């Protein structure tokens, strides 16, 4: 199969099913942001040279493909064939957050993104995840969206924040906190 099809040369793209939409369509923005999150997670996984997170990052990447497919599908009959986000998926993220947070000092101030290369990349992934969340909620105003997708993205962003803090903690790098107006 060739990588180029030329079907998008007119500024449209195909959804899963028969529909074609402009490449700037809210649905494309939503699943495109999830795809970008997946790419940044790939960079984070490459920076996890000690495999501190085991299969957690690849598991999140697989879920991003599933969420992206769900967002790219408008055909109800095709949706029944996909793996959709469940409440159990969200609970699993919460358990992971709780597990990692158990090793961390409680937050008392805002944390500046940074620290180790892995932590900084996880913070980057968190911000891309928040954008994906905004794109999905914007789409949900126009068209029906599984509300679990929004909750899943919200929890993934929380998890990525905790993962970044945990990566710094494990490397012996303290959180850098925002001093607020006192830092002027």
């Amino acid at each position: 199969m060739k990588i180029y099809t030329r079907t998008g040369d007119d500024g449209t793209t195909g959804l899963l099913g028969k529909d074609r939409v402009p490449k700037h369509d809210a649905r494309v923005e939503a699943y495109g942001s999830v795809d970008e999150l997946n790419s940044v997670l790939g960079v984070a996984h490459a920076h996890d040279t000690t495999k501190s997170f085991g299969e957690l990052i690849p598991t999140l990447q697989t879920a991003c493909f599933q969420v992206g497919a769900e967002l790219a599908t408008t055909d109800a009959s095709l949706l029944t064939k996909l793996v959709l986000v469940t409440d159990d998926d969200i609970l699993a993220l919460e358990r992971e957050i709780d597990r990692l947070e158990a090793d961390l000092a409680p937050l008392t101030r805002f944390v500046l993104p940074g620290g180790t290369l892995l932590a900084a990349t996880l913070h980057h992934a968190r911000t891309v995840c928040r954008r994906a969340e905004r794109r999905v909620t914007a789409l949900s105003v126009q068209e029906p969206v599984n509300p679990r997708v929004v909750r899943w993205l919200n929890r993934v962003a929380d998890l990525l924040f905790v993962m970044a803090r945990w990566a710094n903690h494990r490397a012996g790098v303290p959180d850098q906190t925002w001093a607020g107006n006192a830092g002027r």
Side-chain angles (χ1 to χ4, degrees):
M1 176 171 70
K2 289 186 176 188
I3 191 67
Y4 60 89
T5 63
R6 298 185 177 123
T7 57
D9 291 353
D10 66 351
T12 65
T13 191
L15 301 177
L16 291 179
K18 296 179 182 176
D19 292 339
R20 291 192 70 76
V21 296
K23 290 185 179 186
H24 61 271
D25 186 84
R27 184 169 295 279
V28 178
E29 285 288 337
Y31 72 71
S33 293
V34 173
D35 185 37
E36 186 179 352
L37 169 61
N38 200 342
S39 293
V40 179
L41 287 170
V43 175
H45 188 60
H47 291 309
D48 189 11
T49 56
T50 62
K51 301 304 171 215
S52 301
F53 294 110
E55 288 300 306
L56 178 57
I57 295 174
T59 298
L60 290 172
Q61 288 184 281
T62 297
C64 283
F65 268 116
Q66 293 166 338
V67 167
E70 182 173 345
L71 291 169
T73 305
T74 55
D75 184 330
S77 66
L78 287 178
L79 275 174
T80 63
K81 299 175 183 174
L82 298 177
V83 176
L84 305 179
V85 175
T86 67
D87 290 331
D88 287 342
D89 296 326
I90 296 163
L91 289 173
L93 295 171
E94 291 173 356
R95 283 191 298 275
E96 194 62 31
I97 291 166
D98 293 343
R99 183 184 74 78
L100 294 172
E101 265 193 322
D103 292 341
L104 301 173
L107 282 176
T108 58
R109 300 178 76 171
F110 287 108
V111 173
L112 296 174
T116 66
L117 192 53
L118 174 57
T121 305
L122 289 164
H123 277 297
H124 182 199
R126 173 186 55 80
T127 63
V128 172
C129 187
R130 289 294 185 202
R131 179 170 5 101
E133 184 181 12
R134 292 189 303 272
R135 297 293 187 261
V136 170
T137 59
L139 173 63
S140 73
V141 172
Q142 299 173 17
E143 300 179 44
V145 172
N146 176 356
R148 288 182 190 95
V149 170
V150 176
R151 289 198 307 273
W152 183 83
L153 286 166
N154 189 25
R155 227 54 102 247
V156 169
D158 294 339
L159 174 59
L160 292 168
F161 176 76
V162 172
M163 288 170 70
R165 289 190 67 220
W166 192 87
N168 278 338
H169 172 74
R170 187 160 194 261
V173 176
D175 286 329
Q176 295 299 307
T177 57
W178 179 55
N181 290 335
R184 288 185 175 186

